[in-house]
């Protein structure tokens, strides 16, 4: 029997690791458990907003935001059957309906206060997607 991880395309390797790092960081540092559910993205959005409100410079949280975005991408992948795609160091998700989504950039937009939301991105990406 193969595990979920072993059946993933190679483009998923880095985002899966970044997501796992974010889960560990939240568990150990903030004492929050992330369970790869769509509901958990509400907590991630609030965490990002809190970091922004503290006035933390982007350079100090760039890798944290990447981890949060990858975590949101993993939530989307697990809910909708989306797959990670990578080109030139950038990572996107492709949902079964053929649409491309960029949860890592959405985490950056959330931090910038540009109306981004990982919870809403997940809702939109999973809407109408058929689970494989």
């Amino acid at each position: 029997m193969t595990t979920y991880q072993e059946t993933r395309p190679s483009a998923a390797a880095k985002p899966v690791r970044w997501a796992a790092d974010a889960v560990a960081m939240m568990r150990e540092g903030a004492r929050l458990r992330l369970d790869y559910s769509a509901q958990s993205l509400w907590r991630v959005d609030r965490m990002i907003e809190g970091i922004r409100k503290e006035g933390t410079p982007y350079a100090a949280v760039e890798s944290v935001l990447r981890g949060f975005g990858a975590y949101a991408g993993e939530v989307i992948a697990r809910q909708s059957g989306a797959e990670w795609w990578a080109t030139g160091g950038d990572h996107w998700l492709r949902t079964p309906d053929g649409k491309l989504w960029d949860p890592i950039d959405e985490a950056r937009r959330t931090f910038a206060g540009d109306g981004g939301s990982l919870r809403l991105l997940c809702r939109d990406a999973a809407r109408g997607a058929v689970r494989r």
Side-chain angles (χ1 to χ4, degrees):
M1 171 182 241
T2 57
T3 64
Y4 183 68
Q5 180 69 24
E6 291 170 345
T7 62
R8 306 288 300 276
S10 63
K14 286 183 180 180
V16 168
R17 186 177 68 239
W18 297 332
D21 289 347
V23 168
M25 174 191 63
M26 292 296 286
R27 182 182 60 242
E28 294 167 12
R31 304 251 186 248
L32 290 174
R33 290 216 181 274
L34 298 178
D35 60 2
Y36 293 93
S37 68
Q39 295 80 14
S40 69
L41 294 175
W42 180 82
R43 286 176 281 196
V44 175
D45 277 345
R46 290 202 48 198
M47 181 63 66
I48 293 171
E49 289 171 17
I51 294 168
R52 177 176 40 87
K53 288 178 181 176
E54 289 175 0
T56 307
Y58 173 77
V61 294
E62 185 175 5
S63 64
V64 172
L65 295 173
R66 182 186 66 201
F68 285 153
Y71 173 78
E74 277 299 291
V75 171
I76 293 167
R78 292 173 185 203
Q79 281 198 344
S80 69
E83 292 184 350
W84 283 102
W85 289 64
T87 304
D90 293 328
H91 293 81
W92 301 279
L93 282 170
R94 184 174 184 160
T95 50
D97 61 5
K99 292 183 181 176
L100 292 175
W101 304 87
D102 191 346
I104 295 171
D105 188 56
E106 192 72 12
R108 293 180 192 124
R109 290 183 60 232
T110 303
F111 178 75
D114 290 340
S117 169
L118 295 172
R119 179 181 56 84
L120 295 178
L121 178 80
C122 179
R123 181 199 66 193
D124 293 345
R127 183 180 290 158
V130 177
R131 180 81 173 139
R132 292 183 206 176

